[in-house]
Amino acid sequence: QVRLGVVGCGLASGGLHGPGYAHPEIDLVGFTDRPSNYESKTVPMAERFSVKPYLSIDEMLADDSIDAIDICVKEPGHYEMAKKALLAGKHVLCEKAFTDSLDKAKDLIALASERKLKLMVVYNYRYMASVMELKARIDSGEFGDLTFISICGHGYTFHHSIDLLRHLCGEV
């Protein structure tokens, strides 16, 4: 069982990630947000999921019982938070955009590799049953050599479309 702390108390964590953590292999331990949001966001979110509210990410990272951190805040904080978590020995799941530069992304990947920690960006569409089925059929050669593939999505999901094209068809 993975003991998980969630950073960020907004829509992604409360409406999407939190409910998804009701799984026998996950022990949701707590939530944190900015210290200034402790009373208004962190405490209510923690109460909603019956877990511990942490005053800050530093307090959460100091908790040795936590194995992994889910970073659900807006991007410019991803790099710094992910790096802190990796340095604290925590596995990291990070919302998009992963970082604001390729160099920062490579730095986090190298750090996770050095410390033998998992580091993953939330590209959850890859794990939908329909996508896994399509991937298996493409990989089996059922459709022959693909010369064209089209994916539709609304404006906010463009990054998922790009990821799925790369996942299904290889590097572009």
Side-chain angles (χ1 to χ4, degrees):
Q1 197 174 42
V2 175
R3 294 185 45 83
L4 181 73
V6 179
V7 181
C9 294
L11 175 63
S13 59
L16 303 170
H17 294 234
Y21 290 138
H23 189 280
E25 294 181 24
I26 298 172
D27 181 9
L28 183 57
V29 176
F31 284 88
T32 191
D33 204 288
R34 286 185 218 117
S36 61
N37 290 339
Y38 183 74
E39 294 296 331
S40 64
K41 289 186 170 188
T42 305
V43 170
M45 186 72 76
E47 288 175 352
R48 179 175 158 203
F49 290 94
S50 302
V51 297
K52 179 180 178 178
Y54 290 84
L55 181 60
S56 67
I57 186 172
D58 293 326
E59 180 186 8
M60 181 177 276
L61 294 176
D63 185 340
D64 291 333
S65 73
I66 293 178
D67 304 310
I69 300 294
D70 179 6
I71 299 172
C72 296
V73 298
K74 291 183 180 172
E75 189 348 270
H78 291 180
Y79 173 76
E80 291 78 13
M81 290 181 182
K83 188 167 186 173
K84 269 186 177 184
L86 292 167
L87 289 170
K90 312 295 184 193
H91 302 284
V92 174
L93 178 64
C94 188
E95 260 301 343
K96 301 157 293 289
F98 180 41
T99 65
D100 61 4
S101 78
L102 183 57
D103 287 340
K104 288 178 181 177
K106 287 179 177 179
D107 181 47
L108 293 177
I109 291 165
L111 184 58
S113 180
E114 288 167 15
R115 293 179 171 253
K116 298 182 178 13
L117 294 166
K118 304 277 187 219
L119 173 65
M120 182 177 171
V121 179
V122 181
Y123 282 118
N124 53 310
Y125 286 29
R126 289 179 176 207
Y127 304 101
M128 296 173 139
S130 58
V131 173
M132 292 191 315
E133 169 76 15
L134 180 58
K135 175 75 171 146
R137 293 172 74 182
I138 289 170
D139 290 350
S140 76
E142 180 178 339
F143 303 122
D145 292 331
L146 294 181
T147 57
F148 179 82
I149 188 168
S150 177
I151 293 180
C152 295
H154 61 81
Y156 184 68
T157 64
F158 71 93
H159 46 272
H160 284 289
S161 298
I162 293 167
D163 178 65
L164 286 178
L165 286 171
R166 293 179 68 223
H167 176 65
L168 295 170
C169 302
E171 293 299 319
V172 292

